[in-house]
Amino acid sequence: MKIKDRLALYFTLISTLTLLIVLCAVYFMFLKFMEADFFTRLKDRAMVTAKLYLEADEITADSLDKVRSQYLEKLNGEVIRIYNSKNTAIFIGDKQQYWDNATINKVRKQKKLQFKDGNRQVVGIFYKDNQGDFIILASAVDKSTFYRLEKLRNIMVITFVIIFILLLISGRWISKKILNPLDLFIDEVKQIKSNNLHFRVQEGKNKDEIYLLAKNFNVLIEHLEQAFVLQKSFIANASHELRTPVTRIMMTSELSLSQERTNKSYQEALVSVMEDAENMDKIISGLVDLAQADLEFGNQQLSAIRLDEMLVTIAQEWNKKGNKLSISIEDHHDPERSFLILANATLMLIAINNIISNAFKFSEQQEVSCRLKLSDTHIIISVTDLGPGIKTAVLPEIFKPFYSFSEKMPNTGNGMGLYMAHKIITLFKGSLEAYNEKEQGATFLIRLPKL
């Protein structure tokens, strides 16, 4: 059974049970009230009879009956008798019923007594007079109360059935209304697949349990998305960064084995392979560090890096490949400390190389200029290309994983370069932003805190 059905059922059962208890209580109180009222009327009837008969000695029984019937309302099936001290009936207002000595003596002992005898209600009164002690017993059947109770019972049954149906319908509607956000949550959860882990369910405005469930579910999906992206990015980063050193090792080895060479040539080839292997080891270590970026780096894993020297080295490597990368470094008064930052050298090299590689790629290998300057608190690196620039609409998207904004060269990359650069720079408390130049090209601006 669904939760909404259970809620509707429980709500209806509890409500109808409460209603049933209330109706029964009302019925019982009404019954007792009518009984008490009839007992009072019966008692008054008996007292009037006693006063007329016992205190008006000259009135005969027939005259008394005439007065009672003329001026007093006769009760249904009314029976009244007056007994003297010897339990002998001295007044009998009917020929229907009599009471035994045990009942008379009980009235005499308790002075006042009222009880039910089947459908009849009986009142007994001890009456002391100058003529002696008397017991007055009166009984009658309250048919009007039975009639009223029957009508009340029918009304209550009809009312109960109607309210039960209304409660069932309203309970169903209320449960559906309350659980509507849960149905929405379930429908949205069904939409989440491995290819859209960025999707988040609506949390709603009510700070209730469903809101907390949706909120915690979104947190869980966020962690899953990060783990999924981390896995894909590690694989993409590894293939992206390890391709060059692996290619160089293969080419060096192939050239060395293509023909007989001198020992010196072999040694040079092995040194080159060793350098590439060491570079691969650094790259692998850097990628592992990047994969653990969410755990944050400890200070012992960071070191002081001179960005000016790193940029010069990067420029030499790119220029060896036939690309034109120009470096402009702002003059400063303290060359030993001015361009120092605290970072992981391998990761920072990957980040800057990815930005420069991106600039060459989307400017069709035209010249790229890199400028290094200082501010009061930060070191600023700007990388400018001569390409067509970046559309304003996609500027907020370029740092997302697996996003490629090139229309002319759709197969030039896996969309991880800029994401990786942004992640690394952010990791070291820096910032990376991009904007278009007025005339031509795009500029990537890196800000890193000075050491």
Side-chain angles (χ1 to χ4, degrees):
M1 185 182 293
K2 292 184 178 179
I3 293 178
K4 63 176 66 176
D5 295 329
R6 290 207 303 269
L7 282 176
L9 181 61
Y10 295 157
F11 171 78
T12 304
L13 289 177
I14 293 173
S15 301
T16 51
L17 180 61
T18 303
L19 176 63
L20 184 61
I21 293 172
V22 171
L23 291 177
C24 290
V26 170
Y27 181 84
F28 179 78
M29 287 187 291
F30 182 77
L31 173 63
K32 292 302 178 183
F33 170 77
M34 295 301 292
E35 285 182 355
D37 180 68
F38 193 74
F39 273 127
T40 301
R41 292 167 60 195
L42 196 58
K43 179 182 176 182
D44 292 341
R45 182 81 171 172
M47 288 298 296
V48 168
T49 302
K51 286 184 177 296
L52 288 174
Y53 181 77
L54 296 175
E55 295 185 8
D57 299 336
E58 66 279 4
I59 299 179
T60 64
D62 292 338
S63 299
L64 179 60
D65 284 341
K66 184 177 180 181
V67 171
R68 288 169 62 243
S69 61
Q70 183 176 356
Y71 296 102
L72 298 175
E73 178 187 358
K74 187 175 179 65
L75 301 178
N76 186 68
E78 179 182 299
V79 174
I80 297 179
R81 292 190 180 186
I82 301 175
Y83 297 90
N84 59 17
S85 58
K86 296 180 180 179
N87 293 349
T88 302
I90 61 173
F91 175 82
I92 301 176
D94 62 274
K95 298 179 180 179
Q96 301 179 38
Q97 181 180 339
Y98 70 94
W99 286 275
D100 56 17
N101 290 332
T103 304
I104 298 170
N105 290 332
K106 191 173 183 180
V107 176
R108 195 183 305 279
K109 182 179 179 180
Q110 296 183 8
K111 309 301 182 184
K112 187 183 294 185
L113 183 66
Q114 61 183 36
F115 61 92
K116 293 187 69 175
D117 184 11
N119 291 333
R120 303 182 72 86
Q121 291 177 238
V122 183
V123 170
I125 302 171
F126 176 78
Y127 190 89
K128 191 173 180 63
D129 188 64
N130 56 4
Q131 299 179 33
D133 298 335
F134 299 92
I135 299 298
I136 307 166
L137 282 165
S139 73
V141 179
D142 190 6
K143 284 192 174 181
S144 62
T145 297
F146 294 151
Y147 175 77
R148 292 188 182 98
L149 287 175
E150 184 180 1
K151 290 294 183 182
L152 179 63
R153 188 164 54 247
N154 293 336
I155 292 171
M156 284 183 169
V157 170
I158 295 172
T159 303
F160 178 80
V161 172
I162 293 174
I163 293 179
F164 176 81
I165 295 172
L166 291 176
L167 285 173
L168 188 61
I169 296 173
S170 61
R172 177 74 179 180
W173 180 82
I174 291 172
S175 63
K176 184 177 180 181
K177 188 75 174 177
I178 292 175
L179 295 178
N180 187 52
L182 185 59
D183 291 335
L184 178 62
F185 171 78
I186 293 172
D187 292 337
E188 291 181 339
V189 168
K190 291 178 180 178
Q191 300 177 32
I192 299 177
K193 308 294 180 185
S194 60
N195 60 348
N196 68 335
L197 287 175
H198 61 277
F199 182 81
R200 296 293 181 270
V201 300
Q202 298 182 39
E203 296 178 0
K205 298 179 180 179
N206 298 325
K207 306 298 182 179
D208 53 13
E209 288 79 1
I210 298 176
Y211 163 82
L212 294 175
L213 176 63
K215 185 176 182 181
N216 287 308
F217 181 81
N218 282 337
V219 172
L220 174 62
I221 291 299
E222 184 176 353
H223 287 308
L224 288 175
E225 181 189 17
Q226 290 176 357
F228 190 79
V229 170
L230 185 64
Q231 179 188 22
K232 292 181 70 175
S233 64
F234 183 83
I235 296 171
N237 294 342
S239 63
H240 183 273
E241 297 301 325
L242 295 177
R243 185 178 292 109
T244 299
V246 168
T247 302
R248 290 178 61 179
I249 289 174
M250 292 175 62
M251 290 178 62
T252 302
S253 301
E254 188 176 347
L255 287 174
S256 299
L257 295 172
S258 62
Q259 60 183 14
E260 291 289 336
R261 299 182 183 278
T262 63
N263 290 336
K264 185 177 179 180
S265 297
Y266 285 126
Q267 289 177 354
E268 290 176 352
L270 288 174
V271 168
S272 177
V273 169
M274 189 66 183
E275 290 177 352
D276 289 330
E278 290 177 351
N279 187 34
M280 285 177 61
D281 180 65
K282 291 180 181 179
I283 291 174
I284 291 171
S285 298
L287 290 173
V288 171
D289 289 339
L290 180 61
Q292 297 174 344
D294 290 333
L295 302 177
E296 298 184 359
F297 283 12
N299 289 332
Q300 68 275 12
Q301 295 174 291
L302 308 180
S303 60
I305 302 171
R306 287 195 57 173
L307 282 180
D308 53 345
E309 293 180 355
M310 179 177 286
L311 285 179
V312 170
T313 303
I314 290 173
Q316 290 173 354
E317 290 292 330
W318 279 101
N319 290 331
K320 282 181 184 179
K321 298 176 184 178
N323 302 102
K324 189 174 182 181
L325 174 62
S326 60
I327 302 295
S328 173
I329 301 176
E330 184 183 77
D331 292 336
H332 51 88
H333 61 281
D334 188 359
E336 294 297 326
R337 290 189 58 82
S338 293
F339 293 113
L340 283 177
I341 63 169
L342 189 66
N344 181 291
T346 303
L347 290 181
M348 186 53 63
L349 185 64
I350 289 174
I352 297 175
N353 257 326
N354 281 349
I355 295 172
I356 293 173
S357 173
N358 200 75
F360 278 120
K361 184 190 307 179
F362 293 104
S363 65
E364 298 181 354
Q365 308 303 319
Q366 297 185 66
E367 181 180 356
V368 173
S369 60
C370 183
R371 184 181 179 189
L372 180 64
K373 64 179 181 178
L374 294 171
S375 69
D376 294 336
T377 57
H378 288 76
I379 300 173
I380 302 171
I381 303 173
S382 60
V383 179
T384 305
D385 60 47
L386 298 176
I390 306 171
K391 290 183 178 180
T392 305
V394 303
L395 276 173
E397 309 291 328
I398 61 176
F399 298 119
K400 291 184 178 180
F402 312 110
Y403 181 82
S404 179
F405 57 89
S406 173
E407 296 178 355
K408 295 181 179 179
M409 297 173 289
N411 300 317
T412 53
N414 52 25
M416 291 301 300
L418 290 180
Y419 163 74
M420 201 172 153
H422 183 268
K423 191 175 184 71
I424 293 171
I425 292 168
T426 304
L427 178 67
F428 300 129
K429 298 180 173 57
S431 64
L432 175 61
E433 56 184 279
Y435 60 88
N436 291 313
E437 294 294 335
K438 292 182 179 179
E439 296 180 358
Q440 186 180 16
T443 295
F444 286 83
L445 200 64
I446 305 171
R447 296 178 184 271
L448 292 164
K450 291 196 298 187
L451 181 60

